[in-house]
Amino acid sequence: MSELQQTLRDLHRELGDASSLAPEDRAMLETVLGDVQRTLQGASTAPAADPGDVLEGAAVRLEAGHPGLAATLRSLVASLSKAGI
């Protein structure tokens, strides 16, 4: 399993565990993760926004209340960057 795939799995697990995550943050993260997964599967349509930018912004917002989730988001941003996404 690649680093990117492992980070995505970690993030999905952490999202499931983050019961106090605001519904709008959860919805945004699920949308972006769906965009990332479609991109990885070779979807021909590009996401509406740069996933790295969206994820980094989410990490900044979530840092205080969900530091573990924020760290995983930043790992995902780094993995996406390495993959050229």
Side-chain angles (χ1 to χ4, degrees):
M1 175 183 322
S2 76
E3 177 185 344
L4 180 54
Q5 290 171 326
Q6 183 60 49
T7 303
L8 282 168
R9 286 181 188 203
D10 291 346
L11 188 53
H12 279 287
R13 181 183 41 77
E14 288 188 41
L15 277 174
D17 293 343
S19 60
S20 63
L21 187 62
E24 58 273 8
D25 287 332
R26 183 178 303 279
M28 179 273 303
L29 288 171
E30 289 174 354
T31 297
V32 173
L33 290 176
D35 289 346
V36 168
Q37 291 189 329
R38 282 187 293 283
T39 299
L40 292 173
Q41 294 170 352
S44 59
T45 56
D50 178 6
D53 290 343
V54 175
L55 292 169
E56 183 59 36
V60 169
R61 280 194 318 279
L62 297 173
E63 188 69 44
H66 300 280
L69 183 56
T72 303
L73 288 172
R74 288 194 172 102
S75 291
L76 180 56
V77 170
S79 296
L80 290 171
S81 179
K82 286 179 191 175
I85 298 172

